[in-house]
């Protein structure tokens, strides 16, 4: 039997090593953090829109709306901080999600009132 208890181990799920985590994140450029967060928001929105292999299993348009709106706000707020190399595909992905949301809605929002359109302007099909 071990002489150490879980509380003797400084890095357990209940007690993560925050100093090591801070050092790790300190080495990551801000652009990479922004892009990673944006991709995570896009992925979560796609799941909530039912665009994954699971289809409608996890579909929740209210949740998708929130995620798309947050993504649009992030991209709008970071537009001057990330290069067009990073921003262009993220904006394309955002527009695709906005269009998918419009198509999935039983009663589509008025142009300019859909998720994230406060930041992007109206999104039209096509």
């Amino acid at each position: 039997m071990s002489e150490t208890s879980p509380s003797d181990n400084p890095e357990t799920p209940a007690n993560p090593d925050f100093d090591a985590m801070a050092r790790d994140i300190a080495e990551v450029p801000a652009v990479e953090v922004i892009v990673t967060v944006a991709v995570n928001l896009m992925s979560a929105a796609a799941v909530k829109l039912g665009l994954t292999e699971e289809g409608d299993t996890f579909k929740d348009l209210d949740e998708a709306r929130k995620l798309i709106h947050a993504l649009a706000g992030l991209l709008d707020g970071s537009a001057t901080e990330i290069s067009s190399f990073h921003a262009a595909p993220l904006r394309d992905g955002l527009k695709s999600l906005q269009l998918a949301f419009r198509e999935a809605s039983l009663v589509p929002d008025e142009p300019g009132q859909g998720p994230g359109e406060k930041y992007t302007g109206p999104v039209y099909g096509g």
Side-chain angles (χ1 to χ4, degrees):
M1 191 159 188
S2 175
E3 293 291 321
T4 62
S5 69
S7 62
D8 293 337
N9 183 355
E11 189 174 348
T12 64
N15 186 21
D17 185 355
F18 289 112
D19 290 336
M21 291 168 54
R23 281 191 302 275
D24 290 344
I25 200 72
E27 297 172 6
V28 180
V31 170
E32 287 185 36
V33 173
I34 293 167
V35 170
T36 299
V37 169
V39 169
N40 285 331
L41 287 168
M42 292 174 85
S43 297
V47 169
K48 296 297 184 178
L49 285 169
L51 301 177
T52 61
E53 290 179 7
E54 293 85 8
D56 289 348
T57 304
F58 302 108
K59 189 173 184 176
D60 185 335
L61 293 183
D62 186 51
E63 291 290 301
R65 176 184 294 277
K66 294 171 188 172
L67 292 162
I68 295 168
H69 189 78
L71 174 62
L74 174 65
L75 295 182
D76 183 61
S78 63
T80 60
E81 307 302 325
I82 60 177
S83 67
S84 61
F85 174 78
H86 294 291
L90 294 173
R91 282 192 304 266
D92 290 345
L94 170 59
K95 182 175 181 183
S96 295
L97 290 169
Q98 289 171 313
L99 289 170
F101 183 91
R102 186 170 295 284
E103 289 176 14
S105 297
L106 295 176
V107 180
D109 296 313
E110 292 293 321
Q113 301 302 309
E117 292 182 17
K118 166 183 175 180
Y119 301 106
T120 63
V123 174
Y124 300 99

